[in-house]
Amino acid sequence: MESIKLLRDALNTLETSLSLKQLSDPRLKRKIEEAIESLKLTLREISVDNIELARFISAKARETVSKISASKELTREIIEDLEKLVKWCKTIPYDFTDRIKYVRKGYRYYLYGMILFFILAGTYTQIYAVSALLIALPSLMAVYFMRRRRSMGLMLAYASTPLPLVIFSWMIGYVVRALSSWGIWFTG
């Protein structure tokens, strides 16, 4: 597979970057070591040939290391580029293995659950409709940021999930009370 060669190139580039004098900060070295471990894990378990992403990661690794070696000291821009590269390297195992299907499955569950919540809460009492309106913007932002693979999307999803769960439990309680008062359940 061509992506294996490209990922090995990125791995070698990152390993050579550890020996540069400009990277004297132990936090940056630790982040690069995490990226290296992620690349090694991906190379062991690779099952999907994603050539475009492998080319992108390899080119970005070479570009970032050349920026580091060309400058005498690390600037804010170089550190940000390095942190982006490390973040991309940490997400690589999901793109080159079959693990991405679990991420997509969780994303779909969240999306379908929130759609169901908006439909049911909008048709129930006014207070539930108002709560659905309050949570609409964070939910839409969570979906948008999760699609773009930002950590903020996951945090917004975590923050917007408890309210619909509580409202669903209240709605189920109301349904049980209504059915039991009609004598459909618990006849006795």
Side-chain angles (χ1 to χ4, degrees), residues 110-111 114-115 117-119 121-122 128-145 156-157 159-161 163-164 167:
Y110 176 76
L111 187 62
M114 292 309 284
I115 289 171
F117 167 70
F118 290 132
I119 291 170
Y128 295 141
V130 169
S131 68
L133 286 175
L134 288 175
I135 210 164
L137 183 63
S139 298
L140 291 174
M141 287 174 57
V143 167
Y144 173 74
F145 285 126
L156 284 170
S160 63
T161 301
L163 185 62
I167 289 176

Side-chain angles (χ1 to χ4, degrees), residues 58-144:
S58 178
K60 283 296 180 180
R62 277 188 262 119
E63 178 185 330
T64 305
V65 171
S66 67
K67 280 183 183 178
I68 292 171
S69 60
S71 68
K72 293 181 180 177
E73 62 182 47
L74 293 177
T75 63
R76 183 78 178 152
E77 178 186 330
I78 294 173
I79 292 173
E80 287 174 0
D81 286 347
L82 186 62
E83 287 177 352
K84 283 181 188 177
L85 177 66
V86 168
K87 192 182 293 186
W88 291 329
C89 287
K90 285 182 182 179
T91 63
I92 280 179
Y94 293 98
D95 292 314
F96 288 95
T97 61
D98 289 337
R99 293 185 206 164
I100 194 70
K101 66 182 177 185
Y102 300 118
V103 175
R104 288 185 181 139
K105 191 177 192 181
Y107 171 76
R108 282 190 211 111
Y109 283 159
Y110 176 76
L111 187 62
Y112 296 148
M114 292 309 284
I115 289 171
L116 180 66
F117 167 70
F118 290 132
I119 291 170
L120 291 178
T123 59
Y124 215 56
T125 62
Q126 284 182 340
I127 192 68
Y128 295 141
V130 169
S131 68
L133 286 175
L134 288 175
I135 210 164
L137 183 63
S139 298
L140 291 174
M141 287 174 57
V143 167
Y144 173 74

Side-chain angles (χ1 to χ4, degrees), residues 27 31 38 50 70 73 93 141 172 175-176:
R27 288 179 294 170
K31 285 183 180 183
S38 179
N50 193 345
E73 62 182 47
M141 287 174 57
I172 290 171
V175 168
V176 168

Side-chain angles (χ1 to χ4, degrees), residues 8-75:
R8 279 206 178 107
D9 178 47
L11 178 67
N12 293 335
T13 306
L14 287 176
E15 285 176 343
T16 58
S17 72
L18 286 175
S19 63
L20 295 174
K21 301 189 258 188
Q22 291 90 338
L23 287 176
S24 59
D25 188 10
R27 288 179 294 170
L28 289 176
K29 281 189 176 186
R30 188 173 42 241
K31 285 183 180 183
I32 292 174
E33 288 170 355
E34 289 174 8
I36 289 171
E37 287 303 315
S38 179
L39 282 170
K40 286 180 181 177
L41 174 74
T42 304
L43 286 169
R44 275 181 276 162
E45 299 177 0
I46 192 167
S47 63
V48 177
D49 195 19
N50 193 345
I51 298 170
E52 291 178 27
L53 184 61
R55 276 191 192 129
F56 175 76
I57 294 295
S58 178
K60 283 296 180 180
R62 277 188 262 119
E63 178 185 330
T64 305
V65 171
S66 67
K67 280 183 183 178
I68 292 171
S69 60
S71 68
K72 293 181 180 177
E73 62 182 47
L74 293 177
T75 63

